[in-house]
Short mmCIF file of all heavy atoms in Angstrom, two decimals:
data_model
loop_
_atom_site.label_atom_id
_atom_site.label_comp_id
_atom_site.label_asym_id
_atom_site.label_seq_id
_atom_site.Cartn_x
_atom_site.Cartn_y
_atom_site.Cartn_z
N VAL A 229 2.58 12.31 19.02
CA VAL A 229 1.85 12.26 17.76
C VAL A 229 2.72 11.56 16.72
O VAL A 229 3.88 11.91 16.54
CB VAL A 229 1.49 13.69 17.27
CG1 VAL A 229 0.84 13.65 15.91
CG2 VAL A 229 0.61 14.37 18.28
N LEU A 230 2.15 10.60 16.06
CA LEU A 230 2.86 9.83 15.04
C LEU A 230 2.86 10.60 13.72
O LEU A 230 1.83 11.04 13.24
CB LEU A 230 2.18 8.48 14.83
CG LEU A 230 2.75 7.60 13.73
CD1 LEU A 230 4.12 7.08 14.14
CD2 LEU A 230 1.82 6.46 13.42
N LYS A 231 4.04 10.77 13.16
CA LYS A 231 4.19 11.41 11.85
C LYS A 231 4.80 10.37 10.92
O LYS A 231 5.92 9.91 11.14
CB LYS A 231 5.09 12.64 11.95
CG LYS A 231 5.28 13.37 10.65
CD LYS A 231 6.10 14.63 10.85
CE LYS A 231 6.23 15.39 9.55
NZ LYS A 231 7.00 16.62 9.74
N LYS A 232 4.04 9.98 9.90
CA LYS A 232 4.54 8.99 8.95
C LYS A 232 5.86 9.44 8.35
O LYS A 232 6.04 10.60 7.97
CB LYS A 232 3.52 8.77 7.82
CG LYS A 232 2.32 7.99 8.24
CD LYS A 232 2.67 6.55 8.48
CE LYS A 232 1.43 5.72 8.71
NZ LYS A 232 1.73 4.33 8.93
N GLY A 233 6.82 8.53 8.31
CA GLY A 233 8.14 8.81 7.76
C GLY A 233 9.15 9.28 8.78
O GLY A 233 10.35 9.18 8.57
N ASP A 234 8.66 9.79 9.92
CA ASP A 234 9.56 10.29 10.97
C ASP A 234 9.93 9.12 11.89
O ASP A 234 9.46 9.02 13.02
CB ASP A 234 8.89 11.41 11.76
CG ASP A 234 9.78 11.99 12.84
OD1 ASP A 234 11.02 11.78 12.79
OD2 ASP A 234 9.24 12.64 13.75
N ILE A 235 10.79 8.27 11.41
CA ILE A 235 11.13 7.02 12.11
C ILE A 235 11.87 7.29 13.41
O ILE A 235 11.64 6.62 14.42
CB ILE A 235 11.95 6.09 11.19
CG1 ILE A 235 11.16 5.78 9.92
CG2 ILE A 235 12.32 4.80 11.93
CD1 ILE A 235 11.95 5.04 8.85
N ASN A 236 12.74 8.30 13.42
CA ASN A 236 13.51 8.56 14.64
C ASN A 236 12.78 9.47 15.63
O ASN A 236 13.27 9.73 16.72
CB ASN A 236 14.91 9.11 14.32
CG ASN A 236 14.87 10.46 13.64
OD1 ASN A 236 13.84 11.12 13.56
ND2 ASN A 236 16.02 10.88 13.13
N GLY A 237 11.61 9.97 15.25
CA GLY A 237 10.78 10.72 16.18
C GLY A 237 11.25 12.12 16.50
O GLY A 237 10.84 12.70 17.51
N ASP A 238 12.06 12.73 15.63
CA ASP A 238 12.56 14.08 15.91
C ASP A 238 11.66 15.18 15.37
O ASP A 238 11.98 16.36 15.47
CB ASP A 238 13.99 14.25 15.41
CG ASP A 238 14.10 14.25 13.89
OD1 ASP A 238 13.09 14.03 13.20
OD2 ASP A 238 15.22 14.47 13.38
N GLY A 239 10.54 14.80 14.78
CA GLY A 239 9.58 15.79 14.29
C GLY A 239 9.74 16.17 12.83
O GLY A 239 8.95 16.93 12.30
N ALA A 240 10.77 15.64 12.17
CA ALA A 240 11.02 15.96 10.76
C ALA A 240 11.31 14.69 9.99
O ALA A 240 11.85 13.73 10.54
CB ALA A 240 12.19 16.92 10.63
N VAL A 241 10.94 14.68 8.73
CA VAL A 241 11.23 13.55 7.85
C VAL A 241 12.46 13.93 7.03
O VAL A 241 12.42 14.88 6.25
CB VAL A 241 10.03 13.24 6.93
CG1 VAL A 241 10.37 12.10 5.99
CG2 VAL A 241 8.81 12.90 7.77
N LYS A 242 13.55 13.19 7.27
CA LYS A 242 14.80 13.54 6.58
C LYS A 242 15.69 12.30 6.44
O LYS A 242 15.28 11.19 6.77
CB LYS A 242 15.52 14.66 7.32
CG LYS A 242 15.73 14.42 8.78
CD LYS A 242 16.19 15.68 9.48
CE LYS A 242 16.29 15.38 10.97
NZ LYS A 242 16.50 16.57 11.75
N ASN A 243 16.91 12.52 5.96
CA ASN A 243 17.83 11.42 5.66
C ASN A 243 18.08 10.51 6.86
O ASN A 243 18.27 9.30 6.70
CB ASN A 243 19.17 11.97 5.17
CG ASN A 243 19.07 12.59 3.80
OD1 ASN A 243 18.12 12.36 3.07
ND2 ASN A 243 20.03 13.42 3.47
N SER A 244 18.11 11.06 8.06
CA SER A 244 18.38 10.24 9.24
C SER A 244 17.29 9.18 9.43
O SER A 244 17.57 8.10 9.95
CB SER A 244 18.51 11.11 10.49
OG SER A 244 17.37 11.92 10.67
N ASP A 245 16.07 9.46 8.99
CA ASP A 245 15.00 8.46 9.06
C ASP A 245 15.25 7.33 8.08
O ASP A 245 15.03 6.16 8.40
CB ASP A 245 13.65 9.13 8.78
CG ASP A 245 13.32 10.18 9.82
OD1 ASP A 245 13.22 9.83 11.01
OD2 ASP A 245 13.19 11.35 9.44
N VAL A 246 15.74 7.68 6.89
CA VAL A 246 16.08 6.66 5.89
C VAL A 246 17.21 5.77 6.42
O VAL A 246 17.16 4.55 6.29
CB VAL A 246 16.49 7.31 4.55
CG1 VAL A 246 17.03 6.27 3.58
CG2 VAL A 246 15.31 8.04 3.93
N LEU A 247 18.22 6.38 7.02
CA LEU A 247 19.34 5.61 7.57
C LEU A 247 18.89 4.66 8.66
O LEU A 247 19.28 3.49 8.69
CB LEU A 247 20.43 6.55 8.08
CG LEU A 247 21.15 7.37 7.02
CD1 LEU A 247 22.09 8.38 7.67
CD2 LEU A 247 21.92 6.46 6.08
N LEU A 248 18.07 5.16 9.58
CA LEU A 248 17.58 4.31 10.67
C LEU A 248 16.71 3.18 10.12
O LEU A 248 16.86 2.02 10.52
CB LEU A 248 16.80 5.14 11.69
CG LEU A 248 16.17 4.38 12.85
CD1 LEU A 248 17.21 3.61 13.65
CD2 LEU A 248 15.41 5.35 13.76
N GLY A 249 15.82 3.52 9.21
CA GLY A 249 14.96 2.49 8.61
C GLY A 249 15.75 1.44 7.85
O GLY A 249 15.47 0.25 7.96
N SER A 250 16.73 1.88 7.10
CA SER A 250 17.56 0.94 6.35
C SER A 250 18.33 0.02 7.28
O SER A 250 18.42 -1.19 7.05
CB SER A 250 18.54 1.70 5.45
OG SER A 250 17.85 2.44 4.48
N ALA A 251 18.87 0.58 8.35
CA ALA A 251 19.59 -0.23 9.34
C ALA A 251 18.66 -1.26 9.97
O ALA A 251 19.06 -2.41 10.21
CB ALA A 251 20.22 0.67 10.41
N ALA A 252 17.43 -0.87 10.21
CA ALA A 252 16.47 -1.81 10.80
C ALA A 252 16.15 -2.94 9.83
O ALA A 252 16.09 -4.11 10.24
CB ALA A 252 15.19 -1.07 11.19
N LEU A 253 15.98 -2.62 8.56
CA LEU A 253 15.70 -3.67 7.57
C LEU A 253 16.87 -4.62 7.42
O LEU A 253 16.68 -5.80 7.11
CB LEU A 253 15.34 -3.04 6.23
CG LEU A 253 13.96 -2.37 6.16
CD1 LEU A 253 13.78 -1.69 4.82
CD2 LEU A 253 12.85 -3.38 6.40
N LEU A 254 18.08 -4.12 7.65
CA LEU A 254 19.28 -4.96 7.57
C LEU A 254 19.55 -5.72 8.86
O LEU A 254 20.51 -6.49 8.94
CB LEU A 254 20.50 -4.10 7.21
CG LEU A 254 20.50 -3.51 5.81
CD1 LEU A 254 21.63 -2.50 5.66
CD2 LEU A 254 20.63 -4.61 4.76
N GLY A 255 18.73 -5.49 9.88
CA GLY A 255 18.89 -6.18 11.15
C GLY A 255 19.94 -5.57 12.06
O GLY A 255 20.34 -6.17 13.04
N LYS A 256 20.37 -4.35 11.76
CA LYS A 256 21.41 -3.70 12.56
C LYS A 256 20.82 -2.79 13.64
O LYS A 256 21.54 -2.33 14.50
CB LYS A 256 22.35 -2.90 11.66
CG LYS A 256 23.10 -3.81 10.70
CD LYS A 256 24.02 -3.02 9.81
CE LYS A 256 24.67 -3.92 8.79
NZ LYS A 256 26.00 -4.30 9.11
N GLN A 257 19.54 -2.48 13.56
CA GLN A 257 18.83 -1.67 14.54
C GLN A 257 17.49 -2.33 14.82
O GLN A 257 16.94 -3.01 13.95
CB GLN A 257 18.56 -0.26 14.02
CG GLN A 257 19.77 0.61 13.87
CD GLN A 257 20.27 1.13 15.20
OE1 GLN A 257 19.53 1.33 16.15
NE2 GLN A 257 21.58 1.34 15.29
N THR A 258 16.97 -2.10 16.00
CA THR A 258 15.64 -2.59 16.35
C THR A 258 14.73 -1.39 16.52
O THR A 258 15.07 -0.44 17.23
CB THR A 258 15.69 -3.40 17.66
OG1 THR A 258 16.61 -4.49 17.50
CG2 THR A 258 14.32 -3.93 18.02
N LEU A 259 13.58 -1.43 15.86
CA LEU A 259 12.62 -0.34 15.96
C LEU A 259 11.55 -0.67 16.99
O LEU A 259 11.16 -1.83 17.14
CB LEU A 259 11.93 -0.10 14.61
CG LEU A 259 12.81 0.28 13.43
CD1 LEU A 259 11.94 0.50 12.18
CD2 LEU A 259 13.63 1.52 13.72
N THR A 260 11.06 0.36 17.66
CA THR A 260 9.92 0.18 18.56
C THR A 260 8.67 0.02 17.70
O THR A 260 8.70 0.27 16.48
CB THR A 260 9.74 1.41 19.47
OG1 THR A 260 9.37 2.54 18.65
CG2 THR A 260 10.99 1.71 20.27
N GLU A 261 7.57 -0.36 18.31
CA GLU A 261 6.32 -0.50 17.56
C GLU A 261 5.89 0.84 16.95
O GLU A 261 5.41 0.89 15.81
CB GLU A 261 5.21 -1.08 18.44
CG GLU A 261 5.40 -2.55 18.76
CD GLU A 261 5.53 -3.43 17.52
OE1 GLU A 261 4.70 -3.30 16.60
OE2 GLU A 261 6.48 -4.24 17.46
N LEU A 262 6.07 1.92 17.69
CA LEU A 262 5.72 3.24 17.18
C LEU A 262 6.60 3.62 15.98
O LEU A 262 6.11 4.15 14.98
CB LEU A 262 5.85 4.29 18.28
CG LEU A 262 5.31 5.68 17.94
CD1 LEU A 262 3.82 5.62 17.66
CD2 LEU A 262 5.58 6.64 19.08
N GLN A 263 7.89 3.30 16.06
CA GLN A 263 8.79 3.57 14.95
C GLN A 263 8.40 2.73 13.72
O GLN A 263 8.46 3.22 12.59
CB GLN A 263 10.24 3.27 15.34
CG GLN A 263 10.84 4.30 16.27
CD GLN A 263 12.22 3.90 16.74
OE1 GLN A 263 12.45 2.76 17.15
NE2 GLN A 263 13.14 4.86 16.69
N LYS A 264 8.00 1.50 13.94
CA LYS A 264 7.56 0.65 12.83
C LYS A 264 6.32 1.23 12.16
O LYS A 264 6.19 1.19 10.93
CB LYS A 264 7.27 -0.77 13.30
CG LYS A 264 8.51 -1.55 13.67
CD LYS A 264 8.14 -2.92 14.22
CE LYS A 264 9.34 -3.63 14.78
NZ LYS A 264 8.99 -4.90 15.43
N MET A 265 5.41 1.77 12.96
CA MET A 265 4.21 2.39 12.40
C MET A 265 4.58 3.62 11.58
O MET A 265 4.02 3.85 10.50
CB MET A 265 3.24 2.75 13.52
CG MET A 265 2.60 1.55 14.18
SD MET A 265 1.64 1.94 15.66
CE MET A 265 0.53 3.19 15.09
N ALA A 266 5.52 4.42 12.07
CA ALA A 266 5.97 5.61 11.33
C ALA A 266 6.70 5.21 10.05
O ALA A 266 6.60 5.90 9.03
CB ALA A 266 6.89 6.46 12.21
N ALA A 267 7.43 4.10 10.09
CA ALA A 267 8.20 3.63 8.94
C ALA A 267 7.32 3.06 7.83
O ALA A 267 7.69 3.11 6.66
CB ALA A 267 9.21 2.58 9.39
N ASP A 268 6.15 2.56 8.18
CA ASP A 268 5.24 1.97 7.20
C ASP A 268 4.48 3.07 6.47
O ASP A 268 3.30 3.28 6.68
CB ASP A 268 4.28 1.01 7.91
CG ASP A 268 3.25 0.41 6.96
OD1 ASP A 268 3.53 0.33 5.75
OD2 ASP A 268 2.17 0.01 7.45
N VAL A 269 5.19 3.79 5.60
CA VAL A 269 4.57 4.93 4.92
C VAL A 269 3.50 4.52 3.92
O VAL A 269 2.62 5.31 3.60
CB VAL A 269 5.62 5.85 4.26
CG1 VAL A 269 6.52 6.48 5.30
CG2 VAL A 269 6.42 5.14 3.19
N SER A 270 3.55 3.29 3.43
CA SER A 270 2.53 2.82 2.49
C SER A 270 1.22 2.49 3.20
O SER A 270 0.17 2.44 2.57
CB SER A 270 3.03 1.59 1.72
OG SER A 270 3.12 0.48 2.60
N GLY A 271 1.31 2.25 4.51
CA GLY A 271 0.11 1.94 5.28
C GLY A 271 -0.44 0.55 5.08
O GLY A 271 -1.57 0.26 5.44
N ASP A 272 0.39 -0.35 4.56
CA ASP A 272 -0.09 -1.71 4.31
C ASP A 272 0.13 -2.65 5.50
O ASP A 272 -0.20 -3.83 5.43
CB ASP A 272 0.56 -2.30 3.06
CG ASP A 272 2.05 -2.52 3.19
OD1 ASP A 272 2.63 -2.19 4.24
OD2 ASP A 272 2.66 -3.03 2.22
N GLY A 273 0.68 -2.14 6.58
CA GLY A 273 0.89 -2.96 7.77
C GLY A 273 2.25 -3.61 7.86
O GLY A 273 2.57 -4.24 8.86
N ASP A 274 3.06 -3.47 6.81
CA ASP A 274 4.40 -4.04 6.79
C ASP A 274 5.42 -2.95 6.46
O ASP A 274 5.20 -2.14 5.57
CB ASP A 274 4.52 -5.14 5.74
CG ASP A 274 3.73 -6.38 6.09
OD1 ASP A 274 3.78 -6.81 7.26
OD2 ASP A 274 3.06 -6.92 5.19
N PHE A 275 6.54 -2.98 7.16
CA PHE A 275 7.65 -2.07 6.87
C PHE A 275 8.63 -2.82 5.99
O PHE A 275 9.21 -3.83 6.39
CB PHE A 275 8.30 -1.62 8.17
CG PHE A 275 9.58 -0.86 7.97
CD1 PHE A 275 9.67 0.17 7.06
CD2 PHE A 275 10.71 -1.18 8.70
CE1 PHE A 275 10.85 0.87 6.87
CE2 PHE A 275 11.89 -0.49 8.53
CZ PHE A 275 11.96 0.53 7.61
N THR A 276 8.79 -2.35 4.75
CA THR A 276 9.63 -3.05 3.77
C THR A 276 10.53 -2.06 3.02
O THR A 276 10.45 -0.85 3.23
CB THR A 276 8.75 -3.77 2.73
OG1 THR A 276 8.04 -2.79 1.97
CG2 THR A 276 7.77 -4.74 3.38
N ASN A 277 11.32 -2.61 2.12
CA ASN A 277 12.17 -1.78 1.26
C ASN A 277 11.35 -0.77 0.46
O ASN A 277 11.82 0.33 0.16
CB ASN A 277 12.98 -2.65 0.29
CG ASN A 277 14.10 -3.38 0.97
OD1 ASN A 277 14.67 -2.90 1.94
ND2 ASN A 277 14.44 -4.55 0.46
N ALA A 278 10.13 -1.14 0.11
CA ALA A 278 9.26 -0.23 -0.65
C ALA A 278 8.97 1.04 0.16
O ALA A 278 8.88 2.13 -0.41
CB ALA A 278 7.96 -0.93 -1.03
N ASP A 279 8.84 0.91 1.47
CA ASP A 279 8.60 2.08 2.31
C ASP A 279 9.83 2.99 2.33
O ASP A 279 9.70 4.21 2.24
CB ASP A 279 8.24 1.65 3.74
CG ASP A 279 6.93 0.90 3.79
OD1 ASP A 279 5.90 1.48 3.41
OD2 ASP A 279 6.94 -0.27 4.21
N ILE A 280 11.01 2.39 2.40
CA ILE A 280 12.24 3.18 2.38
C ILE A 280 12.40 3.89 1.03
O ILE A 280 12.77 5.06 0.97
CB ILE A 280 13.48 2.30 2.68
CG1 ILE A 280 13.46 1.86 4.15
CG2 ILE A 280 14.78 3.04 2.37
CD1 ILE A 280 13.61 3.00 5.15
N THR A 281 12.09 3.18 -0.05
CA THR A 281 12.17 3.78 -1.38
C THR A 281 11.22 4.97 -1.50
O THR A 281 11.60 6.03 -2.02
CB THR A 281 11.86 2.72 -2.46
OG1 THR A 281 12.80 1.65 -2.34
CG2 THR A 281 11.92 3.31 -3.86
N ALA A 282 9.99 4.82 -1.02
CA ALA A 282 9.02 5.91 -1.06
C ALA A 282 9.47 7.08 -0.20
O ALA A 282 9.32 8.25 -0.58
CB ALA A 282 7.65 5.41 -0.61
N LEU A 283 10.04 6.78 0.95
CA LEU A 283 10.53 7.81 1.85
C LEU A 283 11.68 8.59 1.21
O LEU A 283 11.70 9.82 1.22
CB LEU A 283 10.98 7.17 3.17
CG LEU A 283 11.42 8.06 4.30
CD1 LEU A 283 10.34 9.06 4.68
CD2 LEU A 283 11.79 7.21 5.51
N MET A 284 12.62 7.87 0.59
CA MET A 284 13.74 8.51 -0.09
C MET A 284 13.25 9.40 -1.23
O MET A 284 13.71 10.53 -1.40
CB MET A 284 14.72 7.46 -0.63
CG MET A 284 15.54 6.81 0.44
SD MET A 284 16.64 5.45 -0.07
CE MET A 284 16.91 5.67 -1.77
N ALA A 285 12.30 8.90 -2.02
CA ALA A 285 11.77 9.67 -3.14
C ALA A 285 11.10 10.95 -2.65
O ALA A 285 11.29 12.02 -3.23
CB ALA A 285 10.77 8.82 -3.93
N ALA A 286 10.35 10.86 -1.55
CA ALA A 286 9.68 12.04 -1.01
C ALA A 286 10.69 13.07 -0.52
O ALA A 286 10.55 14.27 -0.77
CB ALA A 286 8.73 11.63 0.11
N ILE A 287 11.73 12.61 0.16
CA ILE A 287 12.76 13.52 0.67
C ILE A 287 13.47 14.23 -0.49
O ILE A 287 13.79 15.41 -0.40
CB ILE A 287 13.76 12.76 1.56
CG1 ILE A 287 13.08 12.36 2.87
CG2 ILE A 287 15.00 13.59 1.84
CD1 ILE A 287 13.88 11.39 3.73
N LEU A 288 13.68 13.50 -1.58
CA LEU A 288 14.36 14.07 -2.75
C LEU A 288 13.44 14.89 -3.64
O LEU A 288 13.87 15.43 -4.66
CB LEU A 288 15.01 12.95 -3.57
CG LEU A 288 16.16 12.21 -2.89
CD1 LEU A 288 16.57 11.01 -3.73
CD2 LEU A 288 17.33 13.15 -2.67
N GLY A 289 12.16 14.98 -3.26
CA GLY A 289 11.20 15.76 -4.04
C GLY A 289 10.68 15.04 -5.25
O GLY A 289 10.10 15.65 -6.16
N LYS A 290 10.87 13.72 -5.31
CA LYS A 290 10.42 12.94 -6.45
C LYS A 290 9.21 12.09 -6.12
O LYS A 290 8.82 11.22 -6.89
CB LYS A 290 11.56 12.06 -6.96
CG LYS A 290 12.76 12.87 -7.42
CD LYS A 290 13.86 11.98 -7.94
CE LYS A 290 15.09 12.76 -8.27
NZ LYS A 290 15.03 13.49 -9.50
N GLY A 291 8.64 12.34 -4.96
CA GLY A 291 7.46 11.59 -4.54
C GLY A 291 6.67 12.44 -3.57
O GLY A 291 7.10 13.50 -3.14
N SER A 292 5.51 11.94 -3.23
CA SER A 292 4.61 12.68 -2.35
C SER A 292 4.78 12.26 -0.90
O SER A 292 5.06 11.11 -0.61
CB SER A 292 3.16 12.40 -2.78
OG SER A 292 2.27 12.94 -1.85
N MET A 293 4.60 13.22 0.01
CA MET A 293 4.59 12.91 1.44
C MET A 293 3.16 12.98 1.95
O MET A 293 2.94 13.38 3.08
CB MET A 293 5.47 13.90 2.21
CG MET A 293 6.91 13.52 2.22
SD MET A 293 7.77 14.35 3.57
CE MET A 293 9.40 14.42 2.93
N SER A 294 2.23 12.57 1.15
CA SER A 294 0.81 12.63 1.55
C SER A 294 0.34 11.34 2.20
O SER A 294 -0.74 10.88 1.96
CB SER A 294 -0.05 12.95 0.32
OG SER A 294 0.08 11.92 -0.64
N TRP A 295 1.21 10.78 3.05
CA TRP A 295 0.84 9.53 3.71
C TRP A 295 -0.12 9.82 4.80
O TRP A 295 -0.14 10.03 5.80
CB TRP A 295 2.07 8.79 4.23
CG TRP A 295 3.17 8.69 3.26
CD1 TRP A 295 3.13 8.11 2.05
CD2 TRP A 295 4.49 9.24 3.39
NE1 TRP A 295 4.35 8.25 1.44
CE2 TRP A 295 5.21 8.93 2.23
CE3 TRP A 295 5.15 9.96 4.39
CZ2 TRP A 295 6.51 9.29 2.03
CZ3 TRP A 295 6.44 10.32 4.18
CH2 TRP A 295 7.12 9.99 3.02
#
């Protein structure tokens, strides 16, 4: 089951997802298609810095996880 924001697939949305997503955006990690879908929290079809920013805000309690 795909959970938006859970990029590493461990069942929880947390800092490790931000780290993995950031590494992928920097070209240091390769994400699977399922991981890319989980990382695209905005749902616009693209995984970008905006998705990481929204993910970080949600983890810090400054944004919504209603993706």
Side-chain angles (χ1 to χ4, degrees):
V229 175
L230 176 70
K231 181 176 182 179
K232 286 290 188 179
D234 181 18
I235 302 171
N236 65 10
D238 68 355
V241 178
K242 53 192 176 190
N243 291 342
S244 55
D245 298 299
V246 172
L247 293 173
L248 177 58
S250 297
L253 288 175
L254 292 170
K256 296 180 185 259
Q257 291 284 331
T258 302
L259 300 181
T260 66
E261 288 304 312
L262 189 62
Q263 287 174 314
K264 289 176 188 175
M265 290 171 54
D268 177 24
V269 296
S270 68
D272 66 357
D274 291 316
F275 171 48
T276 66
N277 287 329
D279 295 299
I280 290 295
T281 301
L283 185 56
M284 287 175 22
I287 290 169
L288 293 172
K290 299 181 185 283
S292 172
M293 276 200 207
S294 62
W295 313 300

